[in-house]
Amino acid sequence: MPKASLTTEPSKVRCLLHRSAAAFAVLAVVTLGGWPSTADETPRPKIRVRRDIMSLAPDGPEMAALRKAVKVMKGRPATDPTSWTFQANIHATLDKSNPAWNQCQHGNYFFLPWHRMYAYWFERIVREASGDPDFVLPYWNYVNPAARALPEAFRVPADASNPLFVAERNADGGGVNNGARLPAAVAASYWLPFRLTNFATTSPTGAAFGGRVVDKPVHLMSTMGAFETYHNAMHVLIGGESGFMSDPFGSARDPVFWPHHVNVDRLWKRWLDQGGGRANPLNDRAWMDMKFPFFDEKGRKVEMSVRECLNTEELGYRYDDDPSSAAEPRPGPIAAQAGPLKKLAVSKVPGELGTDGPVRVTMDLGDEAQAAVRKDGNLVLFVEGIKFEKEPMVIYEVYLNLPAKEPADFQSVHFVGNLVFAGLDPRAFMAHHGIKKKGQKKEADETYLSSLRAFDVTDVVRELRARKLWQDQQLTVTFVMNGLVPVKGRPVTSAGVKAQFERVTLLGN
Ligand code: C2O
């Protein structure tokens, strides 16, 4: 897809994502009733409407129901599957004593369906605990520039009387709990994953909306699907250094995990709505038939397959901005890499990512690289050998050929994506898998030895060439730190950030 359509596409997408609250209200009224039974006599569940949290009053009945339920769940013992702790542990915990825990799917193409099921079963438990038979989880749509601060109900009042408040959140920029906001380059760059039309890929670069194909649920943390990377940036910036959200073991302990993941679930639907071949891999049997265990509101163990979760109306919910009639789902193909990637160019010196302004690395483009660029094939940028003592709780915007005097702008033609460190910390990965020693398992090896981030730069290079912003013999890659937008004062440069990478490589085929 040429970059030109890439710049027009976001606005098209954006209007879909920002309907007015009034339109939501009308939709909600007409769709709340039950469905008439269909010819095959399968009873259709009652359809409830998941709403934009910005359209709900922080002290209104919906948030009151959520507060009540979270309080009830927090009061239950961790052994109870309907308790707050048990539910959080289903995602991840360092405690390996219960086989029902540590189920979260990351770094593979089960990421989206697994988290959909997780939110679905959790929502049933919350509904029961809230006493409100119509309860649904709201979504936090940070794509909307007016909704980039943590929703108020989760931070006011900021004390133990509020079951939705936790102190364990990013303190940068005056603090997430005081209204520090997600930066636009992170929250608005959903169009990076949205421009991808394939849900899954077998390519090790993970260049797909939904993630990499695996035959059994494993975590391949180095190369995540593009949308998972987008979602990771919110986790990092909301959790910060010692918060829950940035730690896979802690994330579901923060109540805001849920409005975040409900939004992720909704954006999966909005991606499908964009058409242009965007579709779930319905012909992939392994994906469709994969089952995961959860618990219902009575604490009974249940199983759900990916196939069973694809139509949210069959699960009894829709979103307030779902189109009134969606196209019949068609199977989408799984992308494969067109031939092996060849190394075309490598940066000369290792890079040091710190706090002092943009970091630039250059690489010489030899004959082979120049020929590959002219041929207009796929081009991928690898940032390889990423290392840090402490996982940086900031992200880096990555640019190609950004002129030294030009300010970094994620909406410019130079932007290729955000470098997000989440998932690259080997200690977290090993703890999650109960791996004690480095190198003990092949899976672990694969993860650390290739601690890299991949960026598909095909479109960007093509567009830079079209605009005469390309240089035949040299490529510059610029990294610009970004973090929370502070409540007041200067933009965040999280103190003491230190990370290294060994090299930046341009590959192609
Ligand atoms: Cu399993 Cu947003 O995380």
Side-chain angles (χ1 to χ4, degrees), residues 91 104-106 111 114-115 231-232 235 251 257 260-261:
H91 190 260
C104 68
Q105 293 301 311
H106 287 275
F111 167 70
W114 186 85
H115 286 82
H231 129 284
N232 279 341
H235 275 281
S251 54
F257 176 95
H260 172 39
H261 267 279

Side-chain angles (χ1 to χ4, degrees), residues 108-176:
N108 68 54
Y109 73 159
F110 296 113
F111 167 70
L112 285 164
W114 186 85
H115 286 82
R116 168 171 290 174
M117 297 179 205
Y118 185 35
Y120 168 75
W121 292 105
F122 174 83
E123 183 179 69
R124 287 175 58 142
I125 294 168
V126 173
R127 182 177 302 136
E128 170 100 351
S130 75
D132 174 357
D134 289 322
F135 180 85
V136 274
L137 292 166
Y139 62 86
W140 174 19
N141 179 22
Y142 28 70
V143 170
N144 176 358
R148 301 257 164 89
L150 194 79
E152 206 179 301
F154 291 79
R155 54 192 171 90
V156 183
D159 56 46
S161 73
N162 179 359
L164 305 182
F165 169 81
V166 295
E168 291 85 354
R169 289 178 184 142
N170 198 347
D172 278 351
V176 159

Side-chain angles (χ1 to χ4, degrees), residues 457-473:
V457 296
T458 313
D459 292 339
V460 173
V461 171
R462 192 180 296 146
E463 188 62 17
L464 287 170
R465 290 177 68 215
R467 298 199 197 185
K468 308 245 178 307
L469 295 166
W470 186 253
Q471 285 167 289
D472 285 335
Q473 289 167 23

